[in-house]
Amino acid sequence: MKIGVLTSGGDAPGMNAAIRAVVRCGIDAGMDVYGIKRGYEGLLDGEIEQMSLSSVGDILHRGGTILKTARSERFSTEEGVKRSKVILGTFGIDALIVIGGDGSMRGALELSKLGVNVMCLPGTIDNDLAYTDYTIGFDTAVNTVLDAISKVRDTSSAHERNTIIEVMGRHCGDIALYAGVGGGAEAVLIPEVEADVNRVCRKILQGAGRGKLNSIIINAEGSGVSSEELAKEIAEVTGRETRIVVLSYLQRGGVPTLDDRLLASQSGAKAIELIQNGIKNRAIGTVNGKIQAFEIEGALAEKPEFDHELYELIDVLSK
Ligand code: F6P
């Protein structure tokens, strides 16, 4: 049996661990494993090469993806999906493992509708796939934000300033939310809750009332308020200097945490097990700590729910 593996969309720490698991478990199961470069772009260009046990050596601890990644316009057309199926057929690939986020999985779903067997692994820092408790890369990204908060807190405290830390996550506030709780932020602005800048200012003033001389505010990129607007308003209302730190791509790189390596390794192994057992078209994820597989369409239809209790907790813990 021949299988292909690709990474697609924004890279996420742990993608390499997932590729390694797919290649090593696949070979262990007697399969030929082919690496497809640059996601669906590379698939359309036929950038496909057989992988060996040693081609995934020394990558478990590395961020990025050795297969490279891309967001493919060409693949998003009906023609692109059809062409991809033909190319997979030319290489004799019986099943495709896609490591990526929401958009990549939607692409995989289209391929499955044409009869290609696809297995999806959730690779994105955003944690925006509702069918799985966590996505590969999320834990590392949040830890990167926590590290930044600790450093920023030192200098904010020394200068008695407010600092807004802008984080990624697209339409999902999980990076902001989890980092807010773990990092002791005074307030968090997330896409799931309508931004209330007055409330943030009141919170800072409340803290100032009991002698707090600096505050950390986390602004998710999709909150609806720009960090510049937020900083201007907070500075005006609180009368305290307010700076902005945009963490941007720092959150997408770095050494994957144990949680991400485990999720990636176990998900990769599960994909191979499913293919070996003749099961087709599944999205793999973790629910209550257990690796599970779901029908792709159903998995993608699940509505993301954000943790309201966690959001409220931030307010109480930072009083
Ligand atoms: O999906 C991962 C992510 O990092 C989002 O958090 C962010 O909005 C987006 O990708 C940025 O994408 P790009 O690197 O294509 O600009």
Side-chain angles (χ1 to χ4, degrees):
M1 182 173 245
K2 288 185 181 177
I3 63 162
V5 56
L6 61 81
T7 48
S8 164
D11 63 329
M15 279 185 162
N16 278 328
I19 297 168
R20 173 177 175 267
V22 166
V23 172
R24 295 223 166 133
C25 293
I27 292 174
D28 187 60
M31 299 170 182
D32 289 339
V33 186
Y34 287 80
I36 300 164
K37 287 275 175 78
R38 299 180 179 82
Y40 295 117
E41 273 297 289
L43 173 54
L44 285 166
D45 291 335
E47 288 189 82
I48 302 174
E49 267 176 32
Q50 189 164 1
M51 299 183 83
S52 66
L53 292 175
S54 54
S55 53
V56 290
D58 210 18
I59 64 166
L60 175 62
H61 58 293
R62 294 187 201 280
T65 155
I66 57 161
L67 290 177
K68 312 287 181 206
T69 186
R71 301 191 194 276
S72 177
E73 287 286 322
R74 281 191 291 161
F75 179 77
S76 62
T77 62
E78 206 183 315
E79 192 44 47
V81 181
K82 279 190 189 152
R83 178 102 194 100
S84 300
K85 183 193 161 159
V86 170
I87 293 170
L88 287 168
T90 312
F91 280 81
I93 292 174
D94 307 294
L96 175 68
I97 298 179
V98 172
I99 308 167
D102 182 77
S104 311
M105 288 199 184
R106 288 188 192 280
L109 178 63
E110 292 310 309
L111 265 176
S112 75
K113 288 179 183 163
L114 297 186
V116 178
N117 182 15
V118 290
M119 293 290 161
C120 300
L121 268 57
T124 167
I125 63 165
D126 296 342
N127 207 36
D128 58 349
L129 292 162
Y131 78 89
T132 178
D133 288 347
Y134 298 107
T135 55
I136 299 164
F138 171 68
D139 188 61
T140 308
V142 173
N143 277 291
T144 299
V145 178
L146 288 181
D147 187 40
I149 293 176
S150 304
K151 288 172 176 157
V152 165
R153 201 179 272 294
D154 287 345
T155 170
S156 296
S157 164
H159 285 267
E160 302 178 343
R161 282 175 182 152
N162 303 314
T163 307
I164 294 163
I165 300 186
E166 185 179 305
V167 300
M168 279 185 164
R170 209 183 285 267
H171 308 299
C172 178
D174 278 13
I175 295 179
L177 194 60
Y178 282 67
V181 176
E186 271 64 32
V188 162
L189 285 92
I190 53 176
E192 294 85 347
V193 179
E194 201 184 330
D196 183 348
V197 181
N198 289 332
R199 184 181 168 181
V200 175
C201 292
R202 275 200 305 278
K203 191 72 205 298
I204 297 172
L205 291 172
Q206 235 177 44
R210 69 158 179 85
K212 244 193 207 184
L213 295 174
N214 67 92
S215 298
I216 301 285
I217 313 298
I218 302 182
N219 188 28
E221 64 177 354
S223 75
V225 184
S226 77
S227 297
E228 288 73 21
E229 275 174 67
L230 190 60
K232 193 165 168 275
E233 205 151 329
I234 292 177
E236 264 167 30
V237 176
T238 65
R240 200 187 291 152
E241 225 183 325
T242 304
R243 298 287 169 99
I244 302 169
V245 176
V246 181
L247 292 180
S248 186
Y249 292 103
L250 275 179
Q251 295 158 97
R252 289 234 299 247
V255 174
T257 59
L258 172 66
D259 279 0
D260 280 332
R261 295 185 203 195
L262 273 179
L263 178 57
S265 302
Q266 291 179 298
S267 303
K270 184 75 178 177
I272 297 298
E273 180 199 309
L274 294 171
I275 295 171
Q276 221 182 352
N277 292 331
I279 294 167
K280 294 193 166 155
N281 307 322
R282 289 291 184 272
I284 295 159
T286 179
V287 179
N288 298 327
K290 283 220 166 311
I291 298 295
Q292 300 199 15
F294 305 87
E295 285 194 5
I296 302 170
E297 195 148 21
L300 289 175
E302 273 193 47
K303 291 262 168 297
E305 269 179 36
F306 96 104
D307 192 335
H308 212 278
E309 278 179 25
L310 215 49
Y311 178 74
E312 296 298 338
L313 189 60
I314 291 174
D315 209 32
V316 178
L317 293 180
S318 62
K319 275 220 159 76

